[in-house]
Every structure is written in structure tokens, then in C-alpha cells.
Amino acid sequence: SQTIHQWPATLVQPVGSPLSLECTVEGTSNPNLYWYRQAAGRGLQLLFYSIGIDQISSEVPQNLSASRPQDRQFILSSKKLLLSDSGFYLCAWSVTGGQPQHFGDGTRLSIL
Amino acid sequence: AQKITQTQPGMFVQEKEAVTLDCTYDTSDPSYGLFWYKQPSSGEMIFLIYQGSYDQQNATEGRYSLNFQKARKSANLVISASQLGDSAMYFCAMREGATVGYSTLTFGKGTMLLVSP
């Protein structure tokens, strides 16, 4: 069966520090991969999606970037975090665009 | 205009009763899909049920059913026989366009469901 792993679960970072959140999927090949952000009490905002290695699309221009160095690995990064980057970050995968997306457990990011 | 609208910020239901969570959507694409997700306080998003725009019958998954009214552009989630563990945030989401390759989901703002004993 397929599983998705996302880490760390919780992260507290100072303003201006770099960020790296990692997501890996097991049990499937060539998944579609997604990064979302959820502000407190709000719905999910799609940040990036990827249909293959090194194929990244950005939905919202911002302080973040994403990379997919391997088929089942998706990384969310920032060179310098802003206070507004605080939130709950979720990684997800799907077999194709039409199939349900399955989510990781998320990372709670607090910027001080 | 919002693509997914969930008008109920919060809903209360007693254990063992049925509850309906509302979702309306807006799209001009004839091919689309509607999803419901559950988010407990722990944060993970759990897929519950899916309805395709061309599906003739309403989707059902155990205690979950989707009341799909295409002409009204509504896709309400019905939870039968509510349980305490159903207390969570519920999100409606829509995929527009092709099912192959990539497509993205647009989420509503969610409805918080509280089930009381």
C-alpha cells in the first residue's frame, strides 16, 4: 500500500532563517505531488504541484520554492523565512490528476 | 467569485443522528470532480468520498454519502449515525478539467462539526 511521510511534524524558526520541509511517498511510481499551506482556521492554499522529476508548477508567487530531486521526493524550501510564512504545511500525492489526493500528517511551522 | 462555498462555519449534532454539511460550487467546465475531506484536530487530511460530474448515482462510502444536485451545483455531505469521532473540520474540494496528467484542487473554507454524546 502507498504511504506518505512528511517531516518534521513541528518546527519553530526565527525570521530570516532558511527552511527545508521534506515529503516522500512509498508504494507508487511517478505520483503527482503537491504542497499546500493552511493558515489558522482557514482552508488549504495550493503552493506547488509536480507531475514529474524537476517539473514544478507554482500557484502562488511567494517566498517559497519547491524541488523534486527524485520521483517520490518533494521538498519545500525558503532561503529567508518571513513571519507570514507561519502555518500548517501539507504534502499530498495522487495517482493522476483525477484521483483523490492523499495527505501527509503536516508540519506546523511557527516563525518567531 | 468563490469556486467552493461552505456556508456553515460550525454544525452541532447529537451522537447517532444524521447531519448534512453543505457545499456549493461554481464551474463552467463540464468535467469536474468533487471531494470531501475530514481534518481532525491532529491536522491530517483524510479523504472521505468522491463524486464525478458524469456519475449518474450519488457516491456512498460507509456512513458517508454525497447528495449531488448538479443543476443546483451542490454536493452536500451526509453523515449518517454520527459518532463522537466524527468531530472534525470538513472540507469540500473541486477538481476542474481533465483527469489525466495533472489537475489541482480548490478547497472551501470548511465546516467544523461537533458531535455531542
Side-chain angles (χ1 to χ4, degrees), chain A residues 32 34 36 38 41-44 46 49 51 59 88 90 96-105 108, chain B residues 35 37 39 41-45 47 50 89 91 95 98-105 107-110:
Chain A
N32 288 356
Y34 311 84
Y36 290 89
Q38 184 178 28
R42 304 290 298 275
L44 274 66
L46 179 65
Y49 64 89
I51 61 172
E59 287 291 300
F88 188 53
L90 287 154
T96 68
Q99 295 297 312
Q101 294 179 18
H102 301 279
F103 288 78
D105 290 340
R108 296 192 186 280
Chain B
F35 303 78
Y37 285 85
Q39 186 177 41
S41 57
S42 52
E44 74 269 29
M45 294 284 286
F47 166 69
Y50 166 78
M89 196 75 164
F91 290 96
R95 165 197 54 79
T99 59
V100 294
Y102 71 89
S103 66
T104 60
L105 292 181
F107 284 81
K109 293 185 177 180

Side-chain angles (χ1 to χ4, degrees), chain B residues 8-112:
Chain B
Q8 307 154 314
M11 288 285 286
F12 294 89
V13 67
Q14 277 202 312
E15 205 176 1
K16 298 180 185 177
E17 290 184 349
V19 63
T20 298
L21 306 183
D22 294 341
C23 173
T24 57
Y25 59 92
D26 182 24
T27 181
S28 57
D29 198 316
S31 176
Y32 56 89
L34 296 155
F35 303 78
W36 277 93
Y37 285 85
K38 171 185 178 181
Q39 186 177 41
S41 57
S42 52
E44 74 269 29
M45 294 284 286
I46 302 167
F47 166 69
L48 296 178
I49 197 167
Y50 166 78
Q51 180 85 41
S53 60
Y54 296 117
D55 293 343
Q56 294 298 311
Q57 294 187 328
N58 287 345
T60 60
E61 288 287 348
R63 293 186 299 112
Y64 304 108
S65 61
L66 202 152
N67 183 4
F68 182 47
Q69 297 186 46
K70 197 169 182 177
R72 297 179 62 183
K73 291 190 175 180
S74 74
N76 299 338
L77 177 70
V78 181
I79 305 175
S80 63
S82 298
Q83 301 173 355
L84 294 178
D86 293 334
S87 293
M89 196 75 164
Y90 288 80
F91 290 96
C92 179
M94 177 174 64
R95 165 197 54 79
E96 294 176 278
T99 59
V100 294
Y102 71 89
S103 66
T104 60
L105 292 181
T106 302
F107 284 81
K109 293 185 177 180
T111 296
M112 174 63 77

Side-chain angles (χ1 to χ4, degrees), chain A residues 49-60:
Chain A
Y49 64 89
S50 171
I51 61 172
I53 294 175
D54 294 331
Q55 298 180 66
I56 312 291
S57 295
S58 173
E59 287 291 300
V60 181

Side-chain angles (χ1 to χ4, degrees), chain A residues 44-76:
Chain A
L44 274 66
Q45 178 188 37
L46 179 65
L47 302 176
F48 301 95
Y49 64 89
S50 171
I51 61 172
I53 294 175
D54 294 331
Q55 298 180 66
I56 312 291
S57 295
S58 173
E59 287 291 300
V60 181
Q62 55 206 332
N63 186 41
L64 302 170
S65 62
S67 61
R68 185 171 177 173
Q70 300 180 41
D71 180 44
R72 289 169 288 179
Q73 184 184 30
F74 206 24
I75 297 172
L76 183 69

